[in-house]
PDB file of all heavy atoms in Angstrom:
ATOM      1  N   ASN A   1      -7.588 -13.091  -7.738  1.00 98.00           N
ATOM      2  CA  ASN A   1      -6.716 -12.007  -8.228  1.00 98.00           C
ATOM      3  C   ASN A   1      -6.771 -10.774  -7.330  1.00 98.00           C
ATOM      4  O   ASN A   1      -6.553  -9.644  -7.775  1.00 98.00           O
ATOM      5  CB  ASN A   1      -7.023 -11.634  -9.668  1.00 98.00           C
ATOM      6  CG  ASN A   1      -6.056 -12.321 -10.635  1.00 98.00           C
ATOM      7  OD1 ASN A   1      -4.923 -12.643 -10.280  1.00 98.00           O
ATOM      8  ND2 ASN A   1      -6.499 -12.535 -11.858  1.00 98.00           N
ATOM      9  N   ILE A   2      -7.090 -10.969  -6.062  1.00 98.00           N
ATOM     10  CA  ILE A   2      -6.976  -9.894  -5.066  1.00 98.00           C
ATOM     11  C   ILE A   2      -5.530  -9.842  -4.583  1.00 98.00           C
ATOM     12  O   ILE A   2      -4.942 -10.885  -4.258  1.00 98.00           O
ATOM     13  CB  ILE A   2      -7.953 -10.166  -3.894  1.00 98.00           C
ATOM     14  CG1 ILE A   2      -9.385 -10.114  -4.379  1.00 98.00           C
ATOM     15  CG2 ILE A   2      -7.711  -9.180  -2.760  1.00 98.00           C
ATOM     16  CD1 ILE A   2     -10.391 -10.672  -3.402  1.00 98.00           C
ATOM     17  N   VAL A   3      -4.928  -8.673  -4.592  1.00 98.00           N
ATOM     18  CA  VAL A   3      -3.529  -8.552  -4.160  1.00 98.00           C
ATOM     19  C   VAL A   3      -3.459  -8.324  -2.648  1.00 98.00           C
ATOM     20  O   VAL A   3      -4.421  -7.878  -2.032  1.00 98.00           O
ATOM     21  CB  VAL A   3      -2.797  -7.419  -4.916  1.00 98.00           C
ATOM     22  CG1 VAL A   3      -2.865  -7.656  -6.425  1.00 98.00           C
ATOM     23  CG2 VAL A   3      -3.350  -6.060  -4.537  1.00 98.00           C
ATOM     24  N   GLY A   4      -2.303  -8.633  -2.074  1.00 98.00           N
ATOM     25  CA  GLY A   4      -2.087  -8.473  -0.644  1.00 98.00           C
ATOM     26  C   GLY A   4      -0.964  -7.519  -0.325  1.00 98.00           C
ATOM     27  O   GLY A   4       0.032  -7.449  -1.058  1.00 98.00           O
ATOM     28  N   PHE A   5      -1.127  -6.764   0.755  1.00 99.00           N
ATOM     29  CA  PHE A   5      -0.085  -5.921   1.314  1.00 99.00           C
ATOM     30  C   PHE A   5       0.141  -6.311   2.745  1.00 99.00           C
ATOM     31  O   PHE A   5      -0.764  -6.304   3.567  1.00 99.00           O
ATOM     32  CB  PHE A   5      -0.494  -4.430   1.280  1.00 99.00           C
ATOM     33  CG  PHE A   5      -1.042  -3.953  -0.028  1.00 99.00           C
ATOM     34  CD1 PHE A   5      -2.215  -3.234  -0.074  1.00 99.00           C
ATOM     35  CD2 PHE A   5      -0.399  -4.228  -1.232  1.00 99.00           C
ATOM     36  CE1 PHE A   5      -2.773  -2.772  -1.270  1.00 99.00           C
ATOM     37  CE2 PHE A   5      -0.912  -3.790  -2.447  1.00 99.00           C
ATOM     38  CZ  PHE A   5      -2.103  -3.065  -2.466  1.00 99.00           C
ATOM     39  N   GLU A   6       1.391  -6.713   3.094  1.00 98.00           N
ATOM     40  CA  GLU A   6       1.688  -7.182   4.427  1.00 98.00           C
ATOM     41  C   GLU A   6       2.738  -6.305   5.101  1.00 98.00           C
ATOM     42  O   GLU A   6       3.522  -5.635   4.424  1.00 98.00           O
ATOM     43  CB  GLU A   6       2.143  -8.640   4.376  1.00 98.00           C
ATOM     44  CG  GLU A   6       1.023  -9.559   3.885  1.00 98.00           C
ATOM     45  CD  GLU A   6       1.454 -11.002   3.695  1.00 98.00           C
ATOM     46  OE1 GLU A   6       2.630 -11.273   3.413  1.00 98.00           O
ATOM     47  OE2 GLU A   6       0.561 -11.877   3.808  1.00 98.00           O
ATOM     48  N   ASN A   7       2.758  -6.326   6.416  1.00 98.00           N
ATOM     49  CA  ASN A   7       3.652  -5.523   7.232  1.00 98.00           C
ATOM     50  C   ASN A   7       3.447  -4.023   7.014  1.00 98.00           C
ATOM     51  O   ASN A   7       4.404  -3.252   6.886  1.00 98.00           O
ATOM     52  CB  ASN A   7       5.132  -5.900   6.984  1.00 98.00           C
ATOM     53  CG  ASN A   7       5.503  -7.281   7.428  1.00 98.00           C
ATOM     54  OD1 ASN A   7       5.120  -7.703   8.527  1.00 98.00           O
ATOM     55  ND2 ASN A   7       6.215  -8.019   6.626  1.00 98.00           N
ATOM     56  N   LEU A   8       2.175  -3.613   6.960  1.00 99.00           N
ATOM     57  CA  LEU A   8       1.872  -2.182   6.881  1.00 99.00           C
ATOM     58  C   LEU A   8       2.073  -1.518   8.234  1.00 99.00           C
ATOM     59  O   LEU A   8       2.231  -2.191   9.267  1.00 99.00           O
ATOM     60  CB  LEU A   8       0.417  -1.988   6.424  1.00 99.00           C
ATOM     61  CG  LEU A   8       0.061  -2.530   5.040  1.00 99.00           C
ATOM     62  CD1 LEU A   8      -1.426  -2.339   4.772  1.00 99.00           C
ATOM     63  CD2 LEU A   8       0.902  -1.874   3.956  1.00 99.00           C
ATOM     64  N   THR A   9       2.045  -0.229   8.242  1.00 98.00           N
ATOM     65  CA  THR A   9       2.136   0.558   9.480  1.00 98.00           C
ATOM     66  C   THR A   9       1.312   1.829   9.345  1.00 98.00           C
ATOM     67  O   THR A   9       0.841   2.186   8.244  1.00 98.00           O
ATOM     68  CB  THR A   9       3.587   0.869   9.848  1.00 98.00           C
ATOM     69  OG1 THR A   9       3.660   1.426  11.173  1.00 98.00           O
ATOM     70  CG2 THR A   9       4.227   1.851   8.872  1.00 98.00           C
ATOM     71  N   ASN A  10       1.116   2.528  10.452  1.00 98.00           N
ATOM     72  CA  ASN A  10       0.428   3.808  10.513  1.00 98.00           C
ATOM     73  C   ASN A  10      -1.031   3.747  10.049  1.00 98.00           C
ATOM     74  O   ASN A  10      -1.618   4.772   9.665  1.00 98.00           O
ATOM     75  CB  ASN A  10       1.177   4.861   9.668  1.00 98.00           C
ATOM     76  CG  ASN A  10       2.503   5.266  10.285  1.00 98.00           C
ATOM     77  OD1 ASN A  10       2.646   5.260  11.499  1.00 98.00           O
ATOM     78  ND2 ASN A  10       3.453   5.634   9.451  1.00 98.00           N
ATOM     79  N   LEU A  11      -1.637   2.583  10.129  1.00 98.00           N
ATOM     80  CA  LEU A  11      -3.060   2.496   9.758  1.00 98.00           C
ATOM     81  C   LEU A  11      -3.937   3.291  10.717  1.00 98.00           C
ATOM     82  O   LEU A  11      -5.073   3.631  10.343  1.00 98.00           O
ATOM     83  CB  LEU A  11      -3.490   1.038   9.681  1.00 98.00           C
ATOM     84  CG  LEU A  11      -2.833   0.184   8.580  1.00 98.00           C
ATOM     85  CD1 LEU A  11      -3.425  -1.204   8.600  1.00 98.00           C
ATOM     86  CD2 LEU A  11      -2.983   0.830   7.215  1.00 98.00           C
ATOM     87  N   ASP A  12      -3.452   3.566  11.908  1.00 98.00           N
ATOM     88  CA  ASP A  12      -4.204   4.402  12.835  1.00 98.00           C
ATOM     89  C   ASP A  12      -4.340   5.826  12.353  1.00 98.00           C
ATOM     90  O   ASP A  12      -5.200   6.591  12.854  1.00 98.00           O
ATOM     91  CB  ASP A  12      -3.524   4.386  14.219  1.00 98.00           C
ATOM     92  CG  ASP A  12      -2.105   4.917  14.186  1.00 98.00           C
ATOM     93  OD1 ASP A  12      -1.341   4.470  13.307  1.00 98.00           O
ATOM     94  OD2 ASP A  12      -1.743   5.751  15.028  1.00 98.00           O
ATOM     95  N   ARG A  13      -3.578   6.234  11.359  1.00 98.00           N
ATOM     96  CA  ARG A  13      -3.638   7.579  10.819  1.00 98.00           C
ATOM     97  C   ARG A  13      -4.586   7.725   9.638  1.00 98.00           C
ATOM     98  O   ARG A  13      -4.752   8.807   9.096  1.00 98.00           O
ATOM     99  CB  ARG A  13      -2.233   8.080  10.439  1.00 98.00           C
ATOM    100  CG  ARG A  13      -1.289   8.177  11.654  1.00 98.00           C
ATOM    101  CD  ARG A  13       0.094   8.608  11.233  1.00 98.00           C
ATOM    102  NE  ARG A  13       0.111   9.866  10.519  1.00 98.00           N
ATOM    103  CZ  ARG A  13       1.201  10.395   9.952  1.00 98.00           C
ATOM    104  NH1 ARG A  13       2.370   9.737  10.010  1.00 98.00           N
ATOM    105  NH2 ARG A  13       1.140  11.540   9.310  1.00 98.00           N
ATOM    106  N   LEU A  14      -5.232   6.611   9.266  1.00 98.00           N
ATOM    107  CA  LEU A  14      -6.230   6.652   8.222  1.00 98.00           C
ATOM    108  C   LEU A  14      -7.627   6.557   8.829  1.00 98.00           C
ATOM    109  O   LEU A  14      -7.823   5.826   9.779  1.00 98.00           O
ATOM    110  CB  LEU A  14      -6.034   5.494   7.223  1.00 98.00           C
ATOM    111  CG  LEU A  14      -4.707   5.406   6.497  1.00 98.00           C
ATOM    112  CD1 LEU A  14      -4.782   4.269   5.464  1.00 98.00           C
ATOM    113  CD2 LEU A  14      -4.294   6.697   5.843  1.00 98.00           C
ATOM    114  N   PRO A  15      -8.589   7.271   8.265  1.00 98.00           N
ATOM    115  CA  PRO A  15      -9.974   7.123   8.730  1.00 98.00           C
ATOM    116  C   PRO A  15     -10.567   5.790   8.266  1.00 98.00           C
ATOM    117  O   PRO A  15     -10.030   5.137   7.372  1.00 98.00           O
ATOM    118  CB  PRO A  15     -10.699   8.304   8.097  1.00 98.00           C
ATOM    119  CG  PRO A  15      -9.929   8.542   6.824  1.00 98.00           C
ATOM    120  CD  PRO A  15      -8.481   8.235   7.151  1.00 98.00           C
ATOM    121  N   ALA A  16     -11.673   5.430   8.842  1.00 98.00           N
ATOM    122  CA  ALA A  16     -12.337   4.178   8.453  1.00 98.00           C
ATOM    123  C   ALA A  16     -12.738   4.184   6.977  1.00 98.00           C
ATOM    124  O   ALA A  16     -12.635   3.164   6.278  1.00 98.00           O
ATOM    125  CB  ALA A  16     -13.557   3.927   9.327  1.00 98.00           C
ATOM    126  N   THR A  17     -13.148   5.344   6.499  1.00 97.00           N
ATOM    127  CA  THR A  17     -13.492   5.511   5.095  1.00 97.00           C
ATOM    128  C   THR A  17     -13.006   6.860   4.604  1.00 97.00           C
ATOM    129  O   THR A  17     -12.701   7.758   5.422  1.00 97.00           O
ATOM    130  CB  THR A  17     -15.044   5.429   4.836  1.00 97.00           C
ATOM    131  OG1 THR A  17     -15.653   6.508   5.555  1.00 97.00           O
ATOM    132  CG2 THR A  17     -15.603   4.113   5.303  1.00 97.00           C
ATOM    133  N   GLY A  18     -12.932   7.036   3.309  1.00 95.00           N
ATOM    134  CA  GLY A  18     -12.617   8.325   2.761  1.00 95.00           C
ATOM    135  C   GLY A  18     -11.171   8.544   2.345  1.00 95.00           C
ATOM    136  O   GLY A  18     -10.859   9.515   1.668  1.00 95.00           O
ATOM    137  N   ALA A  19     -10.288   7.651   2.744  1.00 96.00           N
ATOM    138  CA  ALA A  19      -8.882   7.747   2.361  1.00 96.00           C
ATOM    139  C   ALA A  19      -8.652   6.942   1.085  1.00 96.00           C
ATOM    140  O   ALA A  19      -9.529   6.226   0.588  1.00 96.00           O
ATOM    141  CB  ALA A  19      -7.965   7.260   3.490  1.00 96.00           C
ATOM    142  N   GLY A  20      -7.455   7.070   0.571  1.00 96.00           N
ATOM    143  CA  GLY A  20      -7.037   6.248  -0.568  1.00 96.00           C
ATOM    144  C   GLY A  20      -5.605   5.780  -0.360  1.00 96.00           C
ATOM    145  O   GLY A  20      -4.900   6.266   0.533  1.00 96.00           O
ATOM    146  N   ILE A  21      -5.178   4.841  -1.174  1.00 96.00           N
ATOM    147  CA  ILE A  21      -3.784   4.387  -1.077  1.00 96.00           C
ATOM    148  C   ILE A  21      -3.159   4.370  -2.470  1.00 96.00           C
ATOM    149  O   ILE A  21      -3.822   4.204  -3.481  1.00 96.00           O
ATOM    150  CB  ILE A  21      -3.656   2.982  -0.427  1.00 96.00           C
ATOM    151  CG1 ILE A  21      -4.323   1.909  -1.288  1.00 96.00           C
ATOM    152  CG2 ILE A  21      -4.167   2.961   0.978  1.00 96.00           C
ATOM    153  CD1 ILE A  21      -3.810   0.511  -0.979  1.00 96.00           C
ATOM    154  N   VAL A  22      -1.857   4.564  -2.470  1.00 97.00           N
ATOM    155  CA  VAL A  22      -1.004   4.355  -3.626  1.00 97.00           C
ATOM    156  C   VAL A  22       0.039   3.346  -3.182  1.00 97.00           C
ATOM    157  O   VAL A  22       0.869   3.644  -2.317  1.00 97.00           O
ATOM    158  CB  VAL A  22      -0.349   5.658  -4.117  1.00 97.00           C
ATOM    159  CG1 VAL A  22       0.526   5.375  -5.331  1.00 97.00           C
ATOM    160  CG2 VAL A  22      -1.419   6.704  -4.448  1.00 97.00           C
ATOM    161  N   ALA A  23       0.002   2.143  -3.702  1.00 98.00           N
ATOM    162  CA  ALA A  23       0.863   1.036  -3.264  1.00 98.00           C
ATOM    163  C   ALA A  23       1.646   0.517  -4.463  1.00 98.00           C
ATOM    164  O   ALA A  23       1.160  -0.325  -5.218  1.00 98.00           O
ATOM    165  CB  ALA A  23       0.024  -0.069  -2.641  1.00 98.00           C
ATOM    166  N   LEU A  24       2.852   1.018  -4.658  1.00 98.00           N
ATOM    167  CA  LEU A  24       3.620   0.688  -5.852  1.00 98.00           C
ATOM    168  C   LEU A  24       4.822  -0.218  -5.495  1.00 98.00           C
ATOM    169  O   LEU A  24       5.785   0.235  -4.897  1.00 98.00           O
ATOM    170  CB  LEU A  24       4.104   1.973  -6.536  1.00 98.00           C
ATOM    171  CG  LEU A  24       2.971   2.902  -6.970  1.00 98.00           C
ATOM    172  CD1 LEU A  24       3.551   4.150  -7.657  1.00 98.00           C
ATOM    173  CD2 LEU A  24       1.996   2.183  -7.906  1.00 98.00           C
ATOM    174  N   PRO A  25       4.744  -1.509  -5.849  1.00 98.00           N
ATOM    175  CA  PRO A  25       5.822  -2.429  -5.543  1.00 98.00           C
ATOM    176  C   PRO A  25       6.922  -2.380  -6.619  1.00 98.00           C
ATOM    177  O   PRO A  25       6.704  -1.828  -7.705  1.00 98.00           O
ATOM    178  CB  PRO A  25       5.131  -3.784  -5.589  1.00 98.00           C
ATOM    179  CG  PRO A  25       4.090  -3.598  -6.650  1.00 98.00           C
ATOM    180  CD  PRO A  25       3.609  -2.164  -6.515  1.00 98.00           C
ATOM    181  N   MET A  26       8.031  -2.966  -6.315  1.00 97.00           N
ATOM    182  CA  MET A  26       9.033  -3.220  -7.346  1.00 97.00           C
ATOM    183  C   MET A  26       8.363  -4.117  -8.413  1.00 97.00           C
ATOM    184  O   MET A  26       7.748  -5.125  -8.082  1.00 97.00           O
ATOM    185  CB  MET A  26      10.246  -3.926  -6.762  1.00 97.00           C
ATOM    186  CG  MET A  26      11.337  -4.203  -7.752  1.00 97.00           C
ATOM    187  SD  MET A  26      12.764  -5.041  -6.997  1.00 97.00           S
ATOM    188  CE  MET A  26      13.407  -3.745  -5.954  1.00 97.00           C
ATOM    189  N   LYS A  27       8.492  -3.713  -9.659  1.00 98.00           N
ATOM    190  CA  LYS A  27       7.828  -4.428 -10.758  1.00 98.00           C
ATOM    191  C   LYS A  27       8.714  -5.548 -11.257  1.00 98.00           C
ATOM    192  O   LYS A  27       9.442  -5.409 -12.231  1.00 98.00           O
ATOM    193  CB  LYS A  27       7.475  -3.444 -11.870  1.00 98.00           C
ATOM    194  CG  LYS A  27       6.512  -3.960 -12.913  1.00 98.00           C
ATOM    195  CD  LYS A  27       6.120  -2.846 -13.881  1.00 98.00           C
ATOM    196  CE  LYS A  27       5.127  -3.338 -14.915  1.00 98.00           C
ATOM    197  NZ  LYS A  27       4.781  -2.280 -15.889  1.00 98.00           N
ATOM    198  N   ILE A  28       8.641  -6.694 -10.580  1.00 98.00           N
ATOM    199  CA  ILE A  28       9.493  -7.835 -10.863  1.00 98.00           C
ATOM    200  C   ILE A  28       8.817  -8.738 -11.864  1.00 98.00           C
ATOM    201  O   ILE A  28       7.740  -9.279 -11.597  1.00 98.00           O
ATOM    202  CB  ILE A  28       9.831  -8.605  -9.559  1.00 98.00           C
ATOM    203  CG1 ILE A  28      10.535  -7.677  -8.560  1.00 98.00           C
ATOM    204  CG2 ILE A  28      10.682  -9.823  -9.886  1.00 98.00           C
ATOM    205  CD1 ILE A  28      10.711  -8.317  -7.203  1.00 98.00           C
ATOM    206  N   GLU A  29       9.431  -8.939 -13.006  1.00 98.00           N
ATOM    207  CA  GLU A  29       8.840  -9.762 -14.036  1.00 98.00           C
ATOM    208  C   GLU A  29       8.679 -11.202 -13.547  1.00 98.00           C
ATOM    209  O   GLU A  29       9.660 -11.837 -13.113  1.00 98.00           O
ATOM    210  CB  GLU A  29       9.731  -9.744 -15.302  1.00 98.00           C
ATOM    211  CG  GLU A  29       9.131 -10.490 -16.462  1.00 98.00           C
ATOM    212  CD  GLU A  29       9.964 -10.347 -17.739  1.00 98.00           C
ATOM    213  OE1 GLU A  29      10.897  -9.519 -17.757  1.00 98.00           O
ATOM    214  OE2 GLU A  29       9.690 -11.089 -18.707  1.00 98.00           O
ATOM    215  N   GLY A  30       7.456 -11.680 -13.563  1.00 98.00           N
ATOM    216  CA  GLY A  30       7.172 -13.034 -13.111  1.00 98.00           C
ATOM    217  C   GLY A  30       7.239 -13.205 -11.598  1.00 98.00           C
ATOM    218  O   GLY A  30       7.194 -14.340 -11.109  1.00 98.00           O
ATOM    219  N   GLY A  31       7.346 -12.117 -10.858  1.00 98.00           N
ATOM    220  CA  GLY A  31       7.547 -12.200  -9.403  1.00 98.00           C
ATOM    221  C   GLY A  31       6.271 -12.574  -8.662  1.00 98.00           C
ATOM    222  O   GLY A  31       5.141 -12.295  -9.088  1.00 98.00           O
ATOM    223  N   SER A  32       6.465 -13.194  -7.513  1.00 98.00           N
ATOM    224  CA  SER A  32       5.341 -13.526  -6.653  1.00 98.00           C
ATOM    225  C   SER A  32       5.053 -12.435  -5.642  1.00 98.00           C
ATOM    226  O   SER A  32       4.149 -12.525  -4.819  1.00 98.00           O
ATOM    227  CB  SER A  32       5.576 -14.850  -5.905  1.00 98.00           C
ATOM    228  OG  SER A  32       6.601 -14.715  -4.935  1.00 98.00           O
ATOM    229  N   GLY A  33       5.842 -11.370  -5.690  1.00 98.00           N
ATOM    230  CA  GLY A  33       5.665 -10.232  -4.795  1.00 98.00           C
ATOM    231  C   GLY A  33       6.866  -9.324  -4.897  1.00 98.00           C
ATOM    232  O   GLY A  33       7.666  -9.459  -5.851  1.00 98.00           O
ATOM    233  N   GLY A  34       7.040  -8.428  -3.934  1.00 98.00           N
ATOM    234  CA  GLY A  34       8.202  -7.560  -3.990  1.00 98.00           C
ATOM    235  C   GLY A  34       8.105  -6.438  -2.948  1.00 98.00           C
ATOM    236  O   GLY A  34       7.019  -6.155  -2.429  1.00 98.00           O
ATOM    237  N   PRO A  35       9.246  -5.831  -2.627  1.00 98.00           N
ATOM    238  CA  PRO A  35       9.252  -4.680  -1.740  1.00 98.00           C
ATOM    239  C   PRO A  35       8.240  -3.626  -2.195  1.00 98.00           C
ATOM    240  O   PRO A  35       8.099  -3.365  -3.395  1.00 98.00           O
ATOM    241  CB  PRO A  35      10.688  -4.185  -1.819  1.00 98.00           C
ATOM    242  CG  PRO A  35      11.481  -5.374  -2.229  1.00 98.00           C
ATOM    243  CD  PRO A  35      10.599  -6.133  -3.185  1.00 98.00           C
ATOM    244  N   LEU A  36       7.598  -2.965  -1.223  1.00 98.00           N
ATOM    245  CA  LEU A  36       6.464  -2.086  -1.527  1.00 98.00           C
ATOM    246  C   LEU A  36       6.656  -0.708  -0.890  1.00 98.00           C
ATOM    247  O   LEU A  36       6.951  -0.624   0.312  1.00 98.00           O
ATOM    248  CB  LEU A  36       5.198  -2.728  -0.964  1.00 98.00           C
ATOM    249  CG  LEU A  36       3.889  -1.953  -1.166  1.00 98.00           C
ATOM    250  CD1 LEU A  36       3.509  -1.900  -2.661  1.00 98.00           C
ATOM    251  CD2 LEU A  36       2.773  -2.645  -0.375  1.00 98.00           C
ATOM    252  N   ARG A  37       6.502   0.325  -1.671  1.00 98.00           N
ATOM    253  CA  ARG A  37       6.373   1.676  -1.115  1.00 98.00           C
ATOM    254  C   ARG A  37       4.899   2.028  -1.195  1.00 98.00           C
ATOM    255  O   ARG A  37       4.327   2.121  -2.293  1.00 98.00           O
ATOM    256  CB  ARG A  37       7.219   2.687  -1.908  1.00 98.00           C
ATOM    257  CG  ARG A  37       7.200   4.100  -1.225  1.00 98.00           C
ATOM    258  CD  ARG A  37       7.922   4.029   0.127  1.00 98.00           C
ATOM    259  NE  ARG A  37       7.701   5.240   0.913  1.00 98.00           N
ATOM    260  CZ  ARG A  37       8.560   6.265   0.960  1.00 98.00           C
ATOM    261  NH1 ARG A  37       9.650   6.285   0.216  1.00 98.00           N
ATOM    262  NH2 ARG A  37       8.345   7.288   1.763  1.00 98.00           N
ATOM    263  N   VAL A  38       4.270   2.203  -0.054  1.00 98.00           N
ATOM    264  CA  VAL A  38       2.859   2.436  -0.012  1.00 98.00           C
ATOM    265  C   VAL A  38       2.555   3.624   0.859  1.00 98.00           C
ATOM    266  O   VAL A  38       3.112   3.801   1.933  1.00 98.00           O
ATOM    267  CB  VAL A  38       2.112   1.155   0.518  1.00 98.00           C
ATOM    268  CG1 VAL A  38       2.692   0.661   1.836  1.00 98.00           C
ATOM    269  CG2 VAL A  38       0.628   1.407   0.642  1.00 98.00           C
ATOM    270  N   VAL A  39       1.678   4.499   0.336  1.00 98.00           N
ATOM    271  CA  VAL A  39       1.265   5.692   1.079  1.00 98.00           C
ATOM    272  C   VAL A  39      -0.230   5.797   1.080  1.00 98.00           C
ATOM    273  O   VAL A  39      -0.911   5.301   0.155  1.00 98.00           O
ATOM    274  CB  VAL A  39       1.891   6.975   0.488  1.00 98.00           C
ATOM    275  CG1 VAL A  39       3.413   6.968   0.638  1.00 98.00           C
ATOM    276  CG2 VAL A  39       1.483   7.181  -0.960  1.00 98.00           C
ATOM    277  N   GLY A  40      -0.750   6.430   2.102  1.00 97.00           N
ATOM    278  CA  GLY A  40      -2.175   6.703   2.170  1.00 97.00           C
ATOM    279  C   GLY A  40      -2.427   8.196   1.947  1.00 97.00           C
ATOM    280  O   GLY A  40      -1.580   9.016   2.235  1.00 97.00           O
ATOM    281  N   TRP A  41      -3.595   8.505   1.398  1.00 95.00           N
ATOM    282  CA  TRP A  41      -3.989   9.884   1.144  1.00 95.00           C
ATOM    283  C   TRP A  41      -5.242  10.167   1.966  1.00 95.00           C
ATOM    284  O   TRP A  41      -6.254   9.501   1.805  1.00 95.00           O
ATOM    285  CB  TRP A  41      -4.269  10.131  -0.332  1.00 95.00           C
ATOM    286  CG  TRP A  41      -4.913  11.451  -0.595  1.00 95.00           C
ATOM    287  CD1 TRP A  41      -6.186  11.676  -1.030  1.00 95.00           C
ATOM    288  CD2 TRP A  41      -4.336  12.751  -0.392  1.00 95.00           C
ATOM    289  NE1 TRP A  41      -6.414  13.018  -1.135  1.00 95.00           N
ATOM    290  CE2 TRP A  41      -5.291  13.705  -0.744  1.00 95.00           C
ATOM    291  CE3 TRP A  41      -3.079  13.168   0.042  1.00 95.00           C
ATOM    292  CZ2 TRP A  41      -5.048  15.081  -0.670  1.00 95.00           C
ATOM    293  CZ3 TRP A  41      -2.836  14.539   0.121  1.00 95.00           C
ATOM    294  CH2 TRP A  41      -3.826  15.460  -0.222  1.00 95.00           C
ATOM    295  N   VAL A  42      -5.134  11.135   2.882  1.00 96.00           N
ATOM    296  CA  VAL A  42      -6.260  11.529   3.732  1.00 96.00           C
ATOM    297  C   VAL A  42      -6.682  12.928   3.321  1.00 96.00           C
ATOM    298  O   VAL A  42      -5.940  13.881   3.557  1.00 96.00           O
ATOM    299  CB  VAL A  42      -5.907  11.496   5.223  1.00 96.00           C
ATOM    300  CG1 VAL A  42      -7.109  11.825   6.074  1.00 96.00           C
ATOM    301  CG2 VAL A  42      -5.330  10.124   5.612  1.00 96.00           C
ATOM    302  N   PRO A  43      -7.839  13.081   2.682  1.00 93.00           N
ATOM    303  CA  PRO A  43      -8.253  14.415   2.245  1.00 93.00           C
ATOM    304  C   PRO A  43      -8.426  15.372   3.422  1.00 93.00           C
ATOM    305  O   PRO A  43      -8.756  14.943   4.545  1.00 93.00           O
ATOM    306  CB  PRO A  43      -9.612  14.157   1.542  1.00 93.00           C
ATOM    307  CG  PRO A  43      -9.599  12.711   1.216  1.00 93.00           C
ATOM    308  CD  PRO A  43      -8.780  12.018   2.263  1.00 93.00           C
TER     309      PRO A  43
END
C-alpha cells in the first residue's frame, strides 16, 4: 500500500532532508491512478 508518483520534476530544488510534499491527485473512484498536482515545501 505504498503509493507512487511518476514523472516528477524540480527534485533538484529540494534538500536531501527537511522538505515536505503535498501530492493531491484527481480523486477517481475506483481508479488505479490519476493526474497529480504535487508541490514541495522547503522551510
Side-chain angles (χ1 to χ4, degrees):
N1 262 333
I2 295 166
V3 303
F5 311 131
E6 295 175 332
N7 294 315
L8 298 177
T9 190
N10 290 329
L11 294 183
D12 59 312
R13 295 177 58 186
L14 301 187
T17 62
I21 64 160
V22 180
L24 300 181
M26 182 180 291
K27 193 174 181 181
I28 300 172
E29 184 175 351
S32 70
L36 179 68
R37 186 67 192 264
V38 52
V39 295
W41 169 248
V42 183

